[in-house]
Amino acid sequence: RFASAALFSQGLLIPSATGLSTGASVASTPTRSVGRRVAPIAAIAALVGALGGGAAIWNVRAPAAEETSLPLQFEITPPDSVSLRLICCGQMFSISPDGRWLLFQGSPAVDPATPVADTTAPDAQRDVFLHVRDLTELRTRRLPGTGNATSMFFSPTGDQVGFVANRQLWRLSLTGSEPQLIAAVPEGFVGGGHWSDNGDITLAVSGQMLHVAATGGSLTPLFPGDSTLQMGGPQQWAREQVLLYTTSSLDVSPHVHWRSLKTGESHVIANGATPQYVPAQGALFW
């Protein structure tokens, strides 16, 4: 198990650690690196279903004894008063870092017996709000001021959420009453955001990766953009100055990238999208 995101980043640069096949358990040959040595690792790939979505998991850790914990699977459905909506784009639902809060898009439920005036209106034009469920309770509540919200994400402490609505970036306390404006969002396709533990928010807009302080300001590029690509799914590690993100285009399927914000060095590490590295598990999800 890597002790930090920095060591994990080093491991990604080692061919024997990146050329792993699905379902295989592989021990790497000891290789000299900046850290002088790399422990043997094992890789396990699986599919995880969540709210109708799929994800792959790459578990990078030292060989361990027999597992003592059991995988848990369960369904979460909104109350009868709310219809689950998955409105593009960016993250369409989010779980807080401590696993307590589930954030998702929903609209007021429609009585099937009630005629709908306009059945041709696209989903994006309907009333969509963010809803939060405390997973220690059975209660779901709508967050105020979150109409048309997309690309939602939690703060590192899990007590605030960020989202994009009406070409603006907002933050909202789970106990607050009104969202606070962070920045105007430039024209383009918003592909998700991330709130780093250094207080910065990273936002993917078309072929750019932008950032701004969570307290407010102007979105500025993290590195030169590429107008031929769509960027998305950012996750920034401020201390290590590392960014995980996705690139894709009409002609190219999505790829997960690792980038050093210190040197500008960038590598494709997987085919897929929306990467999430979880230090406590030593695992990369995508």
Side-chain angles (χ1 to χ4, degrees), residues 83-96:
S83 294
L84 181 66
R85 311 297 301 177
L86 296 180
I87 307 301
C88 188
C89 283
Q91 291 292 94
M92 298 178 185
F93 61 89
S94 185
I95 300 174
S96 63

Side-chain angles (χ1 to χ4, degrees), residues 50-252:
L51 287 181
I57 173 176
W58 181 21
N59 202 343
V60 184
R61 60 183 178 180
E66 182 179 351
E67 295 291 342
T68 58
S69 60
L70 296 175
L72 301 179
Q73 300 182 56
F74 55 94
E75 292 184 345
I76 297 175
T77 56
D80 292 341
S81 60
V82 177
S83 294
L84 181 66
R85 311 297 301 177
L86 296 180
I87 307 301
C88 188
C89 283
Q91 291 292 94
M92 298 178 185
F93 61 89
S94 185
I95 300 174
S96 63
D98 63 1
R100 176 173 179 174
W101 303 98
L102 171 70
L103 188 69
F104 64 92
Q105 296 167 325
S107 59
V110 177
D111 186 344
T114 303
V116 178
D118 182 6
T119 59
T120 64
D123 287 347
Q125 300 302 315
R126 300 181 183 178
D127 291 333
V128 178
F129 300 88
L130 295 186
H131 293 72
V132 66
R133 160 81 185 274
D134 184 342
L135 297 182
T136 68
E137 301 178 356
L138 298 177
R139 182 172 62 97
T140 296
R141 61 186 173 90
R142 189 171 85 180
L143 294 178
T146 59
N148 299 318
T150 65
S151 299
M152 72 285 287
F153 47 88
F154 277 93
S155 67
T157 53
D159 59 346
Q160 297 187 73
V161 297
F163 60 92
V164 174
N166 306 316
R167 309 308 310 181
Q168 293 177 313
L169 177 63
W170 302 84
R171 62 185 173 91
L172 173 66
S173 170
L174 293 182
T175 59
S177 57
E178 293 294 335
Q180 303 297 312
L181 179 63
I182 298 175
V185 177
E187 289 297 322
F189 184 92
V190 180
H194 177 255
W195 194 326
S196 177
D197 56 8
N198 72 342
D200 280 359
I201 290 177
T202 306
L203 192 70
V205 182
S206 293
Q208 299 185 88
M209 197 64 71
L210 309 173
H211 74 121
V212 64
T215 53
S218 298
L219 286 161
T220 57
L222 268 175
F223 51 87
D226 186 338
S227 60
T228 67
L229 295 175
Q230 169 62 50
M231 295 188 182
Q235 187 186 30
Q236 183 180 353
W237 296 90
R239 185 178 62 183
E240 292 79 12
Q241 297 188 49
V242 166
L243 181 72
L244 292 170
Y245 61 101
T246 307
T247 63
S248 62
S249 72
L250 293 177
D251 303 318
V252 180

